[in-house]
């Protein structure tokens, strides 16, 4: 009889990290993805200086799950990366969203004049006058005006549907919530919502108007909200994925 030979368990060599480039709202970021045996969840962090990203994922996790995670966290990344850059893009030749459509910013060079949307060669353009250093503030003022026009019209229509009076409507720049409704019937909205697609703006109006009847987030509230806005779920999903990108824009 020969003694049993003990065999050592094979040690699996760690797979080399995967490297790729991630597009974060037009900002190309180097991304390193490390597959780890002990990892139980996905972690994502920004390297010091904001010049690269590192991601750790459980070994064997499907690529589609990794991509879905990155997609869901685009807004978070944009918010965090904003502090590493002073370039807001709010200048001549930059871009800004209005009702979900990207508009090219054109600084007219004139000290006076309206901020207005025009079509140039079939492309949407936002013409902005005033001093170059004030372009961001003038765009913000324009967006506030457009948001008020949209939300007053939409809220009034939804309130008429459920026969609930609105006492007042105000525009704010809150970061913690998109809107609010008081027990007195005062509605408040973040004017940044006007950068979202029209269906999302409509959902926000419907959401706050529904609170005129239901001051809660119970089943009756959501049923009423969906009655007012049948596309509620799609709009909620859009806000969850892209809302923080709108909050990250610095108009100062």
């Amino acid at each position: 009889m020969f003694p049993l030979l003990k065999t050592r368990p094979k040690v699996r060599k760690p797979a080399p990290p995967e490297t790729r480039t991630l597009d974060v709202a037009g900002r190309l970021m180097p991304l390193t993805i490390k597959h780890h045996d002990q990892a139980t969840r996905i972690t994502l962090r920004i390297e010091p200086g904001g010049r690269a990203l590192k991601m750790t994922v459980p070994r064997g996790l499907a690529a589609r799950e990794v991509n879905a995670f990155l997609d869901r966290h685009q807004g978070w990344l944009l918010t965090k990366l904003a502090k590493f850059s002073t370039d807001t893009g709010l200048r001549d030749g930059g871009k800004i969203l209005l009702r979900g459509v990207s508009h090219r910013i054109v600084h007219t060079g004139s000290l006076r004049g309206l901020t207005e949307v025009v079509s140039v060669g079939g492309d949407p353009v936002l013409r902005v006058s005033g001093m170059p250093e004030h372009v961001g503030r003038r765009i913000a003022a324009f967006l506030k005006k457009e948001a008020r026009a949209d939300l007053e019209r939409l809220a009034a229509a939804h309130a008429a549907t459920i026969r609930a009076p609105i006492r007042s409507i105000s525009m704010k720049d809150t970061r913690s919530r998109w809107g609010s409704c008081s027990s007195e019937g005062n509605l408040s909205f973040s004017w940044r919502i006007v950068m979202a697609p029209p269906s999302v703006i409509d959902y926000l109006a419907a959401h706050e108007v529904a609170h005129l009847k239901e001051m809660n987030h119970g089943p009756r509230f959501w049923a009423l909200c969906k009655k007012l806005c049948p596309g509620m779920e799609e709009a909620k999903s859009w806000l969850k994925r892209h809302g923080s990108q709108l909050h990250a824009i610095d108009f100062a």
Side-chain angles (χ1 to χ4, degrees), residues 11 42 52 120 135 192 247 250:
V11 179
I42 300 175
V120 177
V135 166
R192 291 173 181 261
H247 283 309
D250 183 7

Side-chain angles (χ1 to χ4, degrees), residues 22-25 70-78 241 245:
L22 183 67
D23 187 343
V24 183
L70 291 170
D71 190 37
R72 290 195 306 271
H73 287 77
Q74 278 271 325
W76 177 84
L77 279 171
L78 186 59
R241 294 179 59 189
Q245 296 179 30

Side-chain angles (χ1 to χ4, degrees), residues 89-96 102-110 112-121 123-132 134-136 138-139:
L90 299 179
R91 61 180 182 277
D92 186 56
K95 297 287 183 70
I96 187 68
S102 181
H103 288 60
R104 181 166 58 89
I105 300 169
V106 172
H107 183 239
T108 65
S110 173
R112 296 181 179 274
L114 296 174
T115 301
E116 59 182 352
V117 172
V118 298
S119 179
V120 177
D123 296 325
V125 167
L126 184 64
R127 289 168 49 90
V128 186
S129 58
M131 299 292 290
H134 297 159
V135 166
R138 292 180 73 90
I139 291 175

Side-chain angles (χ1 to χ4, degrees), residues 137-208:
R137 277 182 274 173
R138 292 180 73 90
I139 291 175
F142 173 79
L143 294 179
K144 291 175 189 177
K145 179 176 65 100
E146 295 296 302
R148 175 174 287 279
D150 284 6
L151 289 163
E152 286 184 345
R153 172 178 54 82
L154 292 167
H158 289 311
T161 298
I162 63 174
R163 298 183 180 180
I166 297 174
R167 184 177 179 183
S168 69
I169 295 179
S170 61
M171 297 295 115
K172 296 184 178 181
D173 192 13
T174 52
R175 302 298 177 96
S176 59
R177 59 175 65 183
W178 285 104
S180 64
C181 173
S182 74
S183 57
E184 294 80 20
N186 300 312
L187 304 185
S188 175
F189 299 99
S190 169
W191 54 264
R192 291 173 181 261
I193 197 67
V194 79
M195 293 184 279
S199 60
V200 180
I201 304 172
D202 181 55
Y203 159 67
L204 180 60
H207 183 114
E208 299 309 331

Side-chain angles (χ1 to χ4, degrees), residues 6 29 59 98 112 139:
K6 293 184 179 180
M29 299 290 297
R59 189 179 299 280
L98 175 61
R112 296 181 179 274
I139 291 175

Side-chain angles (χ1 to χ4, degrees), residues 231-245:
M232 176 184 77
E233 295 299 337
E234 292 82 359
K236 286 172 63 179
S237 177
W238 192 97
L239 269 180
K240 185 176 181 180
R241 294 179 59 189
H242 304 289
S244 57
Q245 296 179 30

Side-chain angles (χ1 to χ4, degrees), residues 214 216-223:
E214 300 288 339
N216 55 72
H217 285 107
R220 292 174 59 181
F221 166 79
W222 289 115

